[in-house]
Amino acid sequence: MNAIEARGIQKIFNPGTDEAVVALQDIDLQVAAGEFLSLVGPSGCGKSTLMRLIADLLQPSSGDLRVNGKAPAQARRDRDYGMVFQQATLYDWRSVSKNVQLPLEVMGYAKAERAKRAQAMLDMVELGDFVEHYPWQLSGGMQQRVSIARALVFEPSVLLMDEPFGALDEFTRERMNFELLRIWQATGTTVVFVTHSIAEAAFLSGRIVVMTPRPGRITQVVSNPLPYPRDFHTRSDPAFHALVAQLRDLLRDAVGPTLAQARET
Amino acid sequence: MTRDRLAAYLPTIAVAVAVLLAWELLVVAFDIQQFLLPKPSAIFAEFADQVGLWLAPDERSILFESSGATFWEAIGGFVIGCGGGALVALITSRWTVLSEATMPFAIAANSVPIIAFAPIMNNWFGITNPASKMAIVAIIVFFPTMINTVRGLTLVDARQLELMRSYAASPGEVLWKLRIPNALPYIFSALRVASALSLIGAVVAEFFGGPRATLGVYITQEASAFDFAKAWTAIMMASIIGIGFYLAVLLIERRLMPWHVSFRVE
C-alpha cells in the first residue's frame, strides 16, 4: 500500500475573493511506504502547502488525498505521522527528555515507558547525554536533532519534514543529512522532505518531486540513480553531479529565463 | 563566592550611604526645619524607638501594628485581584469572541485611576473595614493581571499549536501543556507590577480614611501633628514592605520558571 496518494489535488487560498491564490494545481503523487521523497522548488511553488495538506493542517479545495489509505484527518487522529519544522519548535520550559516525551504524554503512555523511549530516541540522535539539558543550552543542530527525536518517538509510519535544516550552517547541515539517512534506514519510516536545496534533495532522496510556482504544480518526478547507503563519497560521484545538473535545468526551464538571459534573446 | 557577591553590591551600598550622608549634611548646613525635611539620623532614631516598643513585652508600637495591617490589606487585595484576573483571563481566552469582546474594556479600565473609587469602597464596605482597602487593591491589580494573562494564553507560536494539532491533542492538553506555560512569563511580569501597585493602592486608599493603625492613616495623622520623623518612618516601612513583596514575587518566579531568558546562567 502507498503511504501517501494524492489525486487531482487543488488548493486555493481565499477562494472567491480578489486575493484568491492558486497554491496547488493538478497534484498527482504516490509515495511508497518506506520511501524517502523530497519536494524541491523555489518559494511559492506550494511544497510546504502540499506537506501541510498531508498533515491535515490545511484542507485541499478539491481532489482526493489519502495517508495510509485514510483521510488525512483520520491519519492525524491515528498519529500516523510525525512533523519536523524549520525551527526546532521545542518548548523552552521542558528539558530535552521532557520535550521528546511530549507526544507520548498526549498519547497517554505510562511514565516509565515515556522516559525509556525518550532515552532510546535521544541515544539514536546521539544526544543521550543531554536529557536533562534545556533547549537554550543546545546548539541549533542539536535542537533540531531533539525535534527529530520528538517526531519519531511514537514510531509514526510517516515523517514529514519542512525544510528541517534550512536554518543550519552548511557543515551542520551536511552532518544532519548523514544522520537523517542513518535514522531513516534504522526505522524504515516513510520520509517526505521539503527543501529548496537541490543538492540536499539529490543527496537524501530516492525520488525528487520538482515543483514550480504560479500556480504550484509538479513539473517532474525524478528517480535518483544513486544507491543507498550513501556516504561521504556520494557527493563527488559523477552521477550525483549529473542529477544536480538535471534538477537545476528542470527548475530553470520551469521558472523561466533570468533577466540576463531575457535581455540576450 | 560571598566575597564576590559583596563586591558586586558594594557600589550600590556606597550610593545609599552617600545619599544619606549628603541628606544629613544638607539639612544641617542649610538649617532646614524638621517639618520640611527631617534628618535621616532623626528618622532612624525614631525607627529605633519603635523597634524598642515593638520588642518590649508590654508596650505597643503603632508603627508596626500599622505596617502589619497595611501589609495584610495589600496581600489580601493582591491575592483576590490577581487570582480573579488570571481566572477571568483563563475563561475568556477559551472563546476568542469573549476575549475580543472583553479586552477593550479591560484595557480601558486599566487606564482609569481606580484609587478615585476609594471613598466609594469606604461607603460600601465601611471605612474601618480592611475589606474596603482590599477591594481597591484587588481592582487595581485585576486588570493588568487579566490583560497579561490573556496575552500569554493567546500569543502562542503558530508552529507550536500545529505541533499539538499533529498529536491530535485535546483543547485541555493544549491549555495545560502549551498555553499556560507560555503565559507564565506574561503573568509574572504582571504580578511584579501588581506587587508594587498593591502596596501603593493600600496606603493611598488609607489616606481617604481607615482604622488608626494603618500606614496611610499613620502618615496623614503624624504629618498633620507636625511629627515628620514619625511620618517618614511609616514611609520607610511602606518602602521596605513594597520591596520585600516584589522580591518575594521575583523569588517565586525564579523557582517556577528557571528556564526563562531572564534567569539563565551559563
Side-chain angles (χ1 to χ4, degrees):
Chain A
M1 186 181 66
N2 282 329
I4 295 160
E5 285 199 20
R7 276 201 198 85
I9 296 290
Q10 191 169 28
K11 176 65 186 176
I12 304 170
F13 288 111
N14 309 313
T17 68
D18 291 346
E19 287 119 55
V21 177
V22 182
L24 288 172
Q25 200 170 37
D26 303 329
I27 300 294
D28 290 295
L29 184 66
Q30 280 79 44
V31 185
E35 186 176 1
F36 196 124
L37 180 103
S38 286
L39 307 176
V40 66
S43 303
C45 72
K47 54 192 192 297
S48 289
T49 303
L50 179 54
M51 171 162 290
R52 296 160 70 77
L53 292 176
I54 296 168
D56 189 42
L57 299 175
L58 290 173
Q59 284 71 43
S61 305
S62 61
D64 185 49
L65 184 60
R66 300 266 137 193
V67 178
N68 289 340
K70 295 172 274 193
Q74 187 57 44
R76 178 173 63 82
R77 282 193 289 273
D78 292 347
R79 284 96 181 212
D80 278 358
Y81 68 86
M83 278 207 90
V84 177
F85 301 104
Q86 180 170 359
Q87 304 300 327
T89 322
L90 302 177
Y91 289 6
D92 284 343
W93 51 88
R94 284 174 171 256
S95 67
V96 164
S97 173
K98 289 280 181 191
N99 262 293
V100 175
Q101 291 179 39
L102 176 69
L104 302 177
E105 283 176 26
V106 174
M107 295 168 199
Y109 283 76
K111 196 174 175 184
E113 176 72 8
R114 291 203 305 260
K116 205 180 87 193
R117 280 186 177 230
Q119 183 66 52
M121 275 319 298
L122 286 165
D123 285 339
M124 178 145 95
V125 298
E126 293 173 351
L127 286 174
D129 296 333
F130 293 87
V131 286
E132 293 308 320
H133 282 61
Y134 278 82
W136 62 270
Q137 295 169 309
L138 307 182
S139 69
M142 290 162 94
Q143 290 187 13
Q144 200 54 287
R145 265 146 62 195
V146 176
S147 118
I148 292 170
R150 181 181 59 186
L152 290 173
V153 73
F154 54 96
E155 294 175 352
S157 63
V158 178
L159 179 60
L160 304 175
M161 307 183 88
D162 192 354
E163 297 189 26
F165 310 134
L168 304 180
D169 66 78
E170 196 58 37
F171 302 105
T172 313
R173 188 174 188 154
E174 276 194 18
R175 176 143 186 257
M176 295 295 291
N177 285 345
F178 280 116
E179 294 215 8
L180 179 59
L181 281 184
R182 183 176 57 76
I183 292 167
W184 169 64
Q185 278 164 332
T187 56
T189 312
T190 310
V191 179
V192 178
F193 189 94
V194 166
T195 180
H196 52 234
S197 162
I198 291 169
E200 191 172 58
F203 179 75
L204 291 172
S205 346
R207 285 192 305 154
I208 299 132
V209 177
V210 178
M211 296 182 72
T212 50
R214 286 176 292 278
R217 65 172 89 210
I218 295 175
T219 302
Q220 198 167 335
V221 181
V222 180
S223 286
N224 192 333
L226 294 160
Y228 290 107
R230 294 177 189 165
D231 57 25
F232 194 69
H233 302 290
T234 303
R235 282 178 212 270
S236 38
D237 192 318
F240 176 79
H241 291 288
L243 177 63
V244 168
Q246 183 194 355
L247 292 171
R248 190 165 286 140
D249 286 344
L250 278 171
L251 282 162
R252 189 177 52 212
D253 292 348
V255 174
T258 63
L259 269 180
Q261 287 166 330
R263 263 190 224 108
E264 279 168 23
T265 50
Chain B
M1 179 65 195
T2 34
R3 271 190 72 158
D4 287 352
R5 286 182 75 171
L6 204 67
Y9 289 129
L10 216 57
T12 319
I13 296 165
V15 168
V17 171
V19 167
L20 289 174
L21 213 63
W23 177 352
E24 183 88 22
L25 289 174
L26 280 171
V27 172
V28 176
F30 295 99
D31 196 21
I32 297 169
Q33 295 298 305
Q34 70 91 20
F35 65 84
L36 286 177
L37 188 65
K39 286 184 286 189
S41 58
I43 299 168
F44 285 126
E46 168 58 26
F47 186 68
D49 283 352
Q50 290 291 336
V51 174
L53 285 174
W54 182 50
L55 293 176
D58 43 1
E59 299 278 1
R60 294 176 60 190
S61 161
I62 303 289
L63 177 67
F64 277 84
E65 281 176 29
S66 304
S67 304
T70 302
F71 175 70
W72 284 115
E73 287 167 9
I75 286 275
F78 178 87
V79 170
I80 296 165
C82 295
L87 198 69
V88 170
L90 217 55
I91 295 165
T92 55
S93 68
R94 177 72 182 78
W95 295 277
T96 318
V97 188
L98 202 58
S99 63
E100 278 175 2
T102 51
M103 273 295 261
F105 292 104
I107 291 165
N110 200 27
S111 320
V112 169
I114 306 278
I115 196 69
F117 289 94
I120 312 286
M121 293 300 134
N122 283 344
N123 189 33
W124 284 7
F125 295 97
I127 196 160
T128 55
N129 186 347
S132 63
K133 314 297 176 279
M134 277 187 201
I136 280 293
V137 172
I139 300 168
I140 290 176
V141 299
F142 177 90
F143 293 105
T145 312
M146 178 191 157
I147 292 166
N148 265 32
T149 309
V150 167
R151 284 199 182 129
L153 291 171
T154 50
L155 292 179
V156 180
D157 181 56
R159 291 277 175 277
Q160 297 192 331
L161 285 171
E162 286 181 347
L163 199 66
M164 280 303 207
R165 185 176 156 82
S166 80
Y167 303 147
S170 68
E173 282 164 329
V174 177
L175 181 70
W176 279 110
K177 294 187 192 300
L178 177 54
R179 290 188 187 275
I180 289 178
N182 186 73
L184 275 184
Y186 292 85
I187 295 171
F188 269 100
S189 90
L191 292 187
R192 269 184 272 135
V193 173
S195 68
L197 282 179
S198 64
L199 207 73
I200 296 172
V203 171
V204 178
E206 288 158 4
F207 287 166
F208 293 90
R212 172 74 181 91
T214 53
L215 284 177
V217 173
Y218 190 91
I219 292 167
T220 43
Q221 291 204 347
E222 297 305 334
S224 55
F226 278 61
D227 197 342
F228 283 92
K230 275 198 165 150
W232 275 90
T233 54
I235 293 167
M236 202 169 99
M237 283 303 280
S239 313
I240 292 169
I241 296 169
I243 293 167
F245 199 0
Y246 180 89
L247 289 178
V249 172
L250 199 67
L251 202 72
I252 296 170
E253 183 180 7
R254 209 174 270 239
R255 290 296 294 273
L256 269 183
M257 24 182 254
W259 45 268
H260 195 247
V261 189
S262 45
F263 304 129
R264 287 173 188 175
V265 249
E266 294 291 339

